[in-house]
Amino acid sequence: MGNPARRHSKSRRDMRRAQTWKLAMPGMVECPQCHEMKLAHRVCGNCGYYKNRVVVEK
């Protein structure tokens, strides 16, 4: 098993570890009915439409 030839600095170690906890924004899309932003593949909370059908009466 290989060993590192040079010691990594604390900065390099912390930069590597920071990638693990990177937060990503969930997939937001515009509702085709009311043009509000909503989560992808979910019913629109504003108008109740999903895939051009009323799923929840508002």
Side-chain angles (χ1 to χ4, degrees):
M1 197 158 113
N3 287 323
R6 301 254 189 288
R7 180 189 170 112
H8 278 229
S9 68
K10 293 175 190 136
S11 174
R12 278 195 174 277
R13 176 201 65 197
D14 293 344
M15 283 192 290
R16 182 185 70 245
R17 288 181 183 172
Q19 303 306 312
T20 306
W21 304 107
K22 187 185 289 186
L23 296 175
M25 186 176 163
M28 299 289 284
V29 295
E30 184 180 308
C31 174
Q33 302 294 324
C34 65
H35 306 290
E36 288 283 323
M37 294 305 286
K38 69 177 190 77
L39 287 171
H41 310 293
R42 285 167 179 79
V43 177
C44 178
N46 191 45
C47 64
Y49 270 75
Y50 180 66
K51 290 192 176 181
N52 300 321
R53 284 186 287 176
V54 178
V55 180
V56 179
E57 290 292 329
K58 285 284 178 171

